[in-house]
Amino acid sequence: MVLFTVVQPVTADTLNSNGAKIFESNCAGCHINGGNIIRRGKNLKLKVLRKNNMDSVDAISVIVANGKNNMSAYQDRLTVEEIQAVSTYVLQQAENNWK
């Protein structure tokens, strides 16, 4: 008997959909619509991300994984793929002005 796993290809739509779900369940409580209810100046708007050199998926992923100041670390709660997906979603939303 041969066992195998069918792996669905990861598309941009799937990544964005997963990122949106992860954001809603883990991030939106503090960062609704890209804002920040704890520290206004540390929001997820593109202007602020650029100002803080956080305007890349890699930079966002580091903060999501490790946290910083009031931001909790998520590396023990999310997989590497989930961190990548939510980081991609955040950057895409910032580039679209959170619409």
Side-chain angles (χ1 to χ4, degrees), residues 9-30:
V10 177
T11 65
D13 288 340
T14 301
L15 190 65
N16 196 41
S17 175
N18 290 344
K21 289 175 188 173
I22 295 163
F23 185 87
E24 286 302 316
S25 24
N26 294 281
C27 314
C30 292

Side-chain angles (χ1 to χ4, degrees), residues 14-72:
T14 301
L15 190 65
N16 196 41
S17 175
N18 290 344
K21 289 175 188 173
I22 295 163
F23 185 87
E24 286 302 316
S25 24
N26 294 281
C27 314
C30 292
H31 293 289
I32 191 161
N33 296 321
N36 187 329
I37 65 168
I38 297 172
R39 294 185 68 195
R40 284 185 301 166
K42 297 291 183 176
N43 61 55
L44 303 176
K45 307 293 181 167
L46 189 57
K47 180 179 177 181
V48 173
L49 293 176
R50 284 185 177 147
K51 176 183 171 190
N52 293 309
N53 296 315
M54 299 301 299
D55 57 337
S56 71
V57 172
D58 289 340
I60 295 168
S61 294
V62 169
I63 295 298
V64 173
N66 301 310
K68 185 174 180 180
N69 299 325
N70 294 345
M71 167 85 183
S72 299

Side-chain angles (χ1 to χ4, degrees), residues 18-19 21-23 25-27 61 64-65 71-87:
N18 290 344
K21 289 175 188 173
I22 295 163
F23 185 87
S25 24
N26 294 281
C27 314
S61 294
V64 173
M71 167 85 183
S72 299
Y74 284 84
Q75 65 185 347
D76 294 336
R77 296 179 238 179
L78 299 175
T79 66
V80 171
E81 292 80 13
E82 290 170 327
I83 290 170
Q84 187 78 18
V86 75
S87 299

